[in-house]
């Protein structure tokens, strides 16, 4: 059989998603996630105008050959737009292969290596007290690992910090949409690294005092620190036994993590902005990180992410796949199937999608006692309801811009 159609669906049930639908000549259908937050239409054009026409008539079972074709033949390799497009095609082909075999995808990837996937959730609060309230809500649900983010005295809005809604629900969409008639541009936030470095150890101390030593605590630095600032923070958090410190420095210069390693034994995670195994070469061979943070959606799909994890496994580095709400349920399912199969799984980020999004994406994965499982439906186990998707038109949205107090554009 062969690929007969490649369609690209753009829907916005609360936020924008890009989904590929591949249909074969015998009627099989597979779904793939190509969402690139804030740059969605760039991926749409890449897929519709440059990728889809080249795939018609190709053997849908030749997944590795198709991946190499899409990666090597255009000459312009890597980059988030290219790799998100490759990812969408790759996921859809794996979905078809598992559906035709009549098994959940993880069975084609080697079978289950564990009974469930340890998940971490997001808790935050404008104060330590509000943060602890949010953490209590997750602990009561059975979660064993929590990412903690808190407000910093003297700063107003901080990306990733939001008080839980009534009932303990932590729902927010950081990609903002302008009001009617307002300019189409990102919101801007003010940042002060020194204030943050002074305050964060007290945040960890407050959470540890409330919840004791067993709860796994994670934190995301959002690339905001210089190497020496990151080293200082990593060392100051050691008494509170963090599970990891994520994105402590910008990802472009991998060598800076040597300095952090010299000063601290706090585990490090990085990579959500990386999109190929080559981005990790120094980090993995020098063991400068402990967890890989890439997502299947932005790193070439299941095939691309498996390349990274095979390489990382040689060096004892584990997975911590990126799982925000701007990775669609299709992309989340890809993480769960791969995570269940690989030996060097570490932890899975879990941000539940909104009820509105889950009316468009019909999911089969589940969470029980803080563990995720992809389910037993053939393929990825997620289907796009195209009629429901059509009711939600694309609307431009952008992640915020971060500036220092003097107005300098800063990392976030």
């Amino acid at each position: 059989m062969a690929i007969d159609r490649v369609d690209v669906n753009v829907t916005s049930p609360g936020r924008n998603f890009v989904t590929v639908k591949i249909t074969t000549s015998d009627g099989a259908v597979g779904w793939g996630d190509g969402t690139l937050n804030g740059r969605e239409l760039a991926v749409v054009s890449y897929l519709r105008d440059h990728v889809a026409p080249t795939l018609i008539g190709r053997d849908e079972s030749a997944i590795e050959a198709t991946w190499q074709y899409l990666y090597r033949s255009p000459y312009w390799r890597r980059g988030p737009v290219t790799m998100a497009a490759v990812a969408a095609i790759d996921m859809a082909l794996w979905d078809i292969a598992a559906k035709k075999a009549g098994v959940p995808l993880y069975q084609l990837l080697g079978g289950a290596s564990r009974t469930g996937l340890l998940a971490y959730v997001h808790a935050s609060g404008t104060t330590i007290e509000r943060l602890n309230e949010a953490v209590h809500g997750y602990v009561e649900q059975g979660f064993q690992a929590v990412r903690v983010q808190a407000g910093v005295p003297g700063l107003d809005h901080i990306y990733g910090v939001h008080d839980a809604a009534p009932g303990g629900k932590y729902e927010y969409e950081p990609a903002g949409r302008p009001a009617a008639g307002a300019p189409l541009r990102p919101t801007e936030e003010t940042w002060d690294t020194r204030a943050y470095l002074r305050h964060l150890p007290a945040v960890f101390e407050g959470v540890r005092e409330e919840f004791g030593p067993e709860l796994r605590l994670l934190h995301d630095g959002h690339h905001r620190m210089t190497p020496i600032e990151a080293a200082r923070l990593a060392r100051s958090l050691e008494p509170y036994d963090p599970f990891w410190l994520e994105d402590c420095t910008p990802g472009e210069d991998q060598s800076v993590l040597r300095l952090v390693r010299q000063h601290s034994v706090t585990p490090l995670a990085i990579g959500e902005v990386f999109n190929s195994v080559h981005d990790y070469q120094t980090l993995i061979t020098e063991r400068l990180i402990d967890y890989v943070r890439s997502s299947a959606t932005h790193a070439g799909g299941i095939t691309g992410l498996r390349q990274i994890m095979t390489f990382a496994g040689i060096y004892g580095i584990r997975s911590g796949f990126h799982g925000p709400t701007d990775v669609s349920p299709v992309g989340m399912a890809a993480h769960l199937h791969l995570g269940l199969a690989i030996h060097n799984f570490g932890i899975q980020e879990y941000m539940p999608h909104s009820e509105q999004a889950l009316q468009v994406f019909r999911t089969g994965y589940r969470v029980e006692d803080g563990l995720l499982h992809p389910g037993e439906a053939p393929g990825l186990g997620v289907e796009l309801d195209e009629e429901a998707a059509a009711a939600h038109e694309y609307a431009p949205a952008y992640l915020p811009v971060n500036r220092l107090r003097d107005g300098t554009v800063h990392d976030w």
Side-chain angles (χ1 to χ4, degrees):
M1 297 300 138
I3 296 172
D4 186 60
R5 288 183 58 88
V6 179
D7 298 298
V8 184
N9 185 292
V10 183
T11 184
S12 189
R15 61 140 295 108
N16 297 315
F17 296 108
V18 177
T19 309
V20 159
K21 176 185 180 182
I22 293 181
T23 307
T24 66
S25 55
D26 59 348
V29 171
W31 303 99
D33 180 23
T35 306
L36 187 61
N37 199 350
R39 297 294 184 268
E40 297 91 353
L41 297 187
V43 182
V44 172
S45 175
Y46 194 104
L47 284 164
R48 284 179 177 164
D49 300 330
H50 305 294
V51 171
T54 72
L55 296 180
I56 306 305
R58 294 186 178 274
D59 180 1
E60 83 277 2
S61 69
I63 300 174
E64 177 69 22
T66 300
W67 193 95
Q68 298 294 345
Y69 175 79
L70 295 175
Y71 179 79
R72 295 178 185 274
S73 64
Y75 183 73
W76 307 109
R77 300 182 184 182
R78 303 163 65 186
V81 174
T82 294
M83 297 307 283
V86 173
I89 300 299
D90 184 75
M91 286 183 213
L93 294 180
W94 276 111
D95 191 23
I96 289 171
K99 285 175 177 174
K100 287 195 168 187
V103 298
L105 176 58
Y106 71 83
Q107 294 287 4
L108 295 190
L109 300 175
S113 292
R114 53 196 52 82
T115 57
L117 305 173
L118 176 66
Y120 78 87
V121 286
H122 290 207
S124 75
T126 52
T127 65
I128 297 174
E129 292 73 24
R130 293 302 301 272
L131 169 61
N132 280 342
E133 291 175 11
V135 175
H136 268 294
Y138 284 123
V139 170
E140 290 167 4
Q141 294 175 51
F143 288 101
Q144 307 163 46
V146 182
R147 192 191 82 164
V148 292
Q149 310 288 129
V152 176
L155 298 180
D156 293 328
H157 302 288
I158 300 175
Y159 177 81
V161 174
H162 180 81
D163 286 332
K169 288 189 176 182
Y170 179 66
E171 294 182 358
Y172 82 114
E173 175 48 62
R177 292 173 174 170
L184 183 59
R185 60 174 65 121
T187 59
E188 299 193 357
E189 299 174 351
T190 301
W191 181 249
D192 185 330
T193 305
R194 293 181 70 247
Y196 163 75
L197 293 175
R198 289 193 303 268
H199 184 60
L200 193 62
V203 173
F204 267 75
E205 181 180 25
V207 177
R208 273 283 175 243
E209 287 181 352
E210 183 75 12
F211 295 95
E214 292 303 318
L215 184 64
R216 298 167 177 88
L217 301 181
L218 302 84
H219 178 74
D220 187 352
H222 288 296
H223 309 108
R224 291 174 176 139
M225 288 164 275
T226 65
I228 198 64
E229 290 169 343
R232 172 187 165 187
L233 179 63
R235 188 167 182 174
S236 70
L237 295 181
E238 285 180 9
Y240 311 108
D241 188 26
F243 185 90
W244 79 31
L245 173 60
E246 176 188 349
D247 289 345
C248 57
T249 59
E252 291 91 337
D253 185 358
Q254 302 178 12
S255 65
V256 302
L257 291 181
R258 294 171 184 151
L259 180 64
V260 184
R261 282 293 208 212
Q262 290 170 4
H263 290 276
S264 175
V265 294
T266 292
L268 301 177
I270 200 167
E272 67 182 64
V273 297
F274 294 167
N275 48 68
S276 88
V277 66
H278 302 286
D279 294 320
Y280 284 96
Q281 188 168 354
T282 299
L283 295 175
I284 288 176
T285 58
E286 296 189 22
R287 293 181 170 90
L288 298 180
I289 59 171
D290 303 278
Y291 295 91
V292 164
R293 284 286 290 136
S294 287
S295 70
T297 302
H298 304 133
I302 294 162
T303 299
L305 197 52
R306 188 164 63 167
Q307 290 173 359
I308 296 171
M309 293 316 303
T310 299
F311 182 34
I314 299 171
Y315 294 87
I317 296 168
R318 295 185 288 174
S319 69
F321 300 147
H322 193 210
T325 50
D326 51 275
V327 168
S328 86
V330 177
M332 173 59 80
H335 294 153
L336 302 187
H337 284 280
L338 184 59
L340 198 68
I342 60 174
H343 176 70
N344 54 328
F345 170 80
I347 197 168
Q348 175 60 54
E349 181 176 17
Y350 178 56
M351 288 188 73
H353 288 91
S354 69
E355 293 181 7
Q356 190 178 33
L358 294 177
Q359 291 171 0
V360 172
F361 294 91
R362 310 296 185 176
T363 63
Y365 53 78
R366 62 183 186 268
V367 57
E368 296 174 358
D369 297 324
L371 299 179
L372 291 160
H373 194 282
E376 301 302 332
L380 284 168
V382 177
E383 301 288 329
L384 180 73
D385 184 328
E386 294 179 271
E387 183 177 350
H392 303 282
E393 293 185 359
Y394 167 83
Y398 295 102
L399 294 169
V401 171
N402 203 32
R403 293 184 184 272
L404 301 179
R405 290 187 183 277
D406 66 358
T408 303
V409 174
H410 193 52
D411 299 295
W412 66 267

